[in-house]
Amino acid sequence: MIVGSWNVRGLNDPSKIKEIKHFLAEKKMTVCALLETRVRSSNMLKVQRKLGGFWSWCCNYSSSPRGRMWVGWQAAEVCLRVVKQSEQVMVSEVTSLDATVEFIFVSVYGLHTINDRKSLWIELLEVIANCDKPCIIIGDFNAIYQVDDRVNGAMVSEAETQDMEDFIQRGNVIEAPSMGFYYSWSNKGLGTSRIASRIDRAFVNAQWMTQFPEVKVNYLPNGVSDHSPLIFDLVNSREDGSRPFRFNNILCEHKDFEETVTTAWREGQERYKMKLVWNKLKKVKVALKALHTRHYSQAHLKVEELRRRLAAIQALPQIQHDERVQIDEKECCEQLRYWSRIDDSIIRQKSRITGCRKVILIPSSSSLQ
């Protein structure tokens, strides 16, 4: 399921309509928010038909006559229901037809002044406070929250960043992991006159981080707009193309388990509390994955190897009188029982139903200070 947001900066030019249609088809988009369309309501259906008959659309003309936001979806793939809309925000519930994926999709198009955006942050905090599902807030915020978010142009002031910082802290959200370009907007100027900034972003809540930890937002080239499209894949995203890490309970029995978790937990650093916890958990995951790889990886192969070794020892003629061979037999039997128990534990855990409740083991509070 490919989902995204793009400030297209006008959708009246036939050539731009063609490029947007090509983008939606090429990227195999399932859900997409098109921002700042500038299409009059009287021309809305005409333009939407040109984008393809498979798309369903909901727009916020009742709140903004200039057609600031269009949310589109492929009805053959997902169900989408808009539950709230205003001049700067559209909130939608998205569910795949097989009901395996469900999340809240919040499209944002922030107004151009700090004062006009005050209501935006209030709306977003209300959405987060009332949301018990995975939620992503994505779009053009027209705001930045750190000095590095702008190249050239006026210096970044504290007044520009304060509201977004407050929203992140009060809403307990973090910026979604991203890839691709860093700056999402450019004035397309020449030389030192070119100004670039990161004003298009995506924020996610704790439920999103739990359910979609590997999802990254891809910042693509601007194309026919001066803003980057932001897209992500909810179904096929896997970090570095690898399988997701699954905690095996047998790790708890290793002598280095507690020290490994405690050391990794202490490494995470971040100024925002929610992101701090997220970074610490990622550090713990990496450390436990390394511990599993070093000591328990491919346990079934170890069992097979020990079976062959035990059979070879027991086939030796001198086993009836050579004490050294008898000791080797005893040690091999003990190792076989040990690794067989580990292999059984891993198999039992893998055989459980995927949808069962997962238990997260966290070190005691005293060890994490």
Side-chain angles (χ1 to χ4, degrees), residues 248 300 340 342-352:
N248 286 314
H300 63 290
S340 181
I342 291 174
D343 188 40
D344 287 345
S345 174
I346 293 173
I347 291 174
R348 283 197 302 271
Q349 203 166 333
K350 285 183 177 179
S351 66
R352 291 173 184 168

Side-chain angles (χ1 to χ4, degrees), residues 121 124-131 133-137 145 163-176 202-210 270-278:
W121 309 116
L124 294 180
L125 286 173
E126 289 177 352
V127 171
I128 289 295
N130 296 312
C131 184
K133 298 177 181 179
C135 176
I136 185 164
I137 303 170
Y145 79 104
D163 287 339
M164 186 173 285
E165 288 187 359
D166 289 345
F167 163 68
I168 293 171
Q169 292 182 350
R170 293 173 60 191
N172 284 329
V173 297
I174 69 167
E175 185 166 5
F203 296 101
V204 295
N205 64 354
Q207 291 91 332
W208 180 282
M209 291 185 288
T210 300
E270 173 63 41
R271 62 184 296 192
Y272 300 111
K273 291 182 179 179
M274 179 61 72
K275 198 164 186 178
L276 173 63
V277 173
W278 179 240

Side-chain angles (χ1 to χ4, degrees), residues 4-5 35 105-108 121 136-150 161 164 167-168 174-178 182-185 197-204 217 219 227-232 272 275:
S5 171
L35 311 178
F105 180 64
V106 183
S107 312
V108 172
W121 309 116
I136 185 164
I137 303 170
I138 188 170
D140 177 8
F141 289 80
N142 265 312
I144 58 180
Y145 79 104
Q146 56 188 20
V147 174
D148 294 339
D149 285 350
R150 181 186 295 146
T161 64
M164 186 173 285
F167 163 68
I168 293 171
I174 69 167
E175 185 166 5
S178 63
Y182 182 80
Y183 297 105
S184 66
W185 172 85
S197 63
R198 186 179 176 88
I199 57 177
D200 302 85
R201 308 188 103 95
F203 296 101
V204 295
V217 176
Y219 283 63
H227 287 258
S228 291
L230 277 56
I231 70 171
F232 54 92
Y272 300 111
K275 198 164 186 178

